[in-house]
Amino acid sequence: MIQIQENVALAKYTTLGVGGDADYLAVVESRDEVLEALDYGYRQKIKSVVLGGGSNVLVSDKGFAGLVIINKATQHAQKGEILYAESGASLTKVASQTLDNGYLGFEFGIGIPGTIGGAVAGNVGTKIGNVSDILVSAEVWHDGKIENLPGDSFDFDYRYSSIKGKPEYVVLSAKFRLQEGDTHAAKEQVRTEITRRAGSYKGKTAGSYFKNPEGDKSAAELIDSLGLKGYRIGGAEVSTNHANVFRNIENATAKDFFELEHYVVRKVQDKFGVLLVPEVIKIGDFK
């Protein structure tokens, strides 16, 4: 039986360390408890949202007027080339284990601070690969019903799926197809990638803030070319290590990050005519 807490601060559940209170909060430890919490919210007609690792999100200073479900459903198992994982399992942990088991395909997930559910919804990936490359199917809760959806039904695109940002769709578990092979080269590639990213995400960050736009230059290159590294609004800063990362450096608020986002977007659009689109998902009221 899950426990429903009331008026719980959300900042400690996010990697940015900001956010007001949730009206209700439940910490769940299994797929069945995720379902129990979702069904509770559905029956009570309470808006619900699920948080995994708390990265890639910006929670409003006003908190969330509903039920926040902290997903710690971490069971996963591999049988041959098929990997099964519950949605709260650590992306880095699962990916590392598959590589150690001698299987390729999921190594792009090593070093990414997120969970399986968020990875599926956001088509997480790196230059090495993406979730869409290996997803066989996902078990999804949708408005009180459970659906098993094939991987090709998510309309995947760059850092996008048809369920991203839609709290009425919740990934419960997923199956992936890997391939057996020589993992020595992959491990070296992963080490190189992790070393490259190591300094980028120091401190309290949400990961990469904007999607990379079409064209020759990445979001980081566009922002950096405007000299915006180190630019601050309140306690929120454009990281001095990586221009597409925002950091909480001094008791920042969600409003600080929201205003910094809009400032950067406006500056890039005015200079280059490019509209940067946030990769970070907003939770709660920002009006």
Side-chain angles (χ1 to χ4, degrees):
M1 180 70 70
I2 61 171
Q3 292 186 337
I4 306 294
Q5 305 172 57
E6 296 186 21
N7 302 318
V8 180
L10 292 173
K12 67 179 181 179
Y13 292 107
T14 72
T15 57
L16 274 176
V18 301
D21 292 356
D23 287 355
Y24 306 97
L25 183 138
V27 179
V28 296
E29 304 283 347
S30 68
R31 170 197 172 277
D32 289 346
E33 287 189 351
V34 175
L35 272 176
E36 185 181 348
L38 287 168
D39 289 342
Y40 173 85
Y42 187 72
R43 291 194 310 271
Q44 299 296 323
K45 297 182 179 179
I46 300 170
K47 289 191 298 183
S48 300
V49 66
V50 178
L51 287 182
S55 61
N56 203 45
V57 295
L58 178 63
V59 178
S60 168
D61 296 320
K62 300 176 185 178
F64 183 72
L67 171 65
V68 175
I69 301 167
I70 305 300
N71 186 1
K72 296 184 179 295
T74 61
Q75 292 297 310
H76 57 279
Q78 186 177 345
K79 187 174 182 180
E81 65 179 12
I82 298 300
L83 167 72
Y84 166 85
E86 292 182 340
S87 55
S90 162
L91 192 60
T92 290
K93 184 175 181 178
V94 171
S96 296
Q97 288 181 359
T98 63
L99 198 57
D100 288 342
N101 290 340
Y103 283 81
L104 302 170
F106 218 154
E107 57 270 21
F108 65 83
I110 299 174
I112 295 179
T115 56
I116 293 293
V120 171
N123 191 21
V124 162
T126 67
K127 295 177 180 178
I128 300 173
N130 303 281
V131 162
S132 56
D133 300 330
I134 60 172
L135 182 67
V136 175
S137 63
E139 184 186 30
V140 176
W141 181 93
H142 176 215
D143 285 342
K145 297 180 181 179
I146 299 173
E147 303 176 69
N148 282 289
L149 302 177
D152 60 7
S153 67
F154 287 88
D155 297 330
F156 285 122
D157 202 344
Y158 170 65
R159 303 297 171 266
Y160 168 84
S161 82
S162 56
I163 66 171
K164 183 176 181 178
K166 297 180 179 179
E168 66 271 24
Y169 291 88
V170 177
V171 176
L172 300 172
S173 65
K175 288 183 180 180
F176 305 91
R177 176 170 282 108
L178 310 175
Q179 57 185 17
E180 196 170 7
D182 182 1
T183 59
H184 177 75
K187 288 181 178 179
E188 289 301 316
Q189 189 178 24
V190 166
R191 289 190 191 98
T192 300
E193 182 68 13
I194 289 177
T195 300
R196 185 184 67 82
R197 299 200 312 254
S200 301
Y201 303 122
K202 285 183 178 179
K204 295 180 179 179
T205 81
S208 296
Y209 203 93
F210 297 103
K211 298 178 182 179
N212 284 323
E214 294 182 1
D216 297 333
K217 290 191 175 181
S218 67
E221 289 171 323
L222 293 173
I223 297 167
D224 194 13
S225 68
L226 293 174
L228 292 178
K229 277 185 177 178
Y231 184 84
R232 291 178 57 177
I233 292 181
E237 176 195 71
V238 178
S239 173
T240 54
N241 296 317
H242 194 295
N244 193 22
V245 174
F246 291 177
R247 294 193 301 180
N248 180 351
I249 59 169
E250 191 177 350
N251 300 317
T253 64
K255 183 181 179 183
D256 292 340
F257 282 104
F258 189 68
E259 291 182 353
L260 184 60
E261 172 193 316
H262 282 264
Y263 178 84
V264 171
V265 168
R266 185 174 71 252
K267 287 293 184 180
V268 170
Q269 190 167 29
D270 287 348
K271 178 67 175 180
F272 301 107
V274 174
L275 178 63
L276 292 180
V277 177
E279 187 174 328
V280 169
I281 297 171
K282 296 177 182 67
I283 294 175
D285 182 10
F286 284 83
K287 295 178 181 178

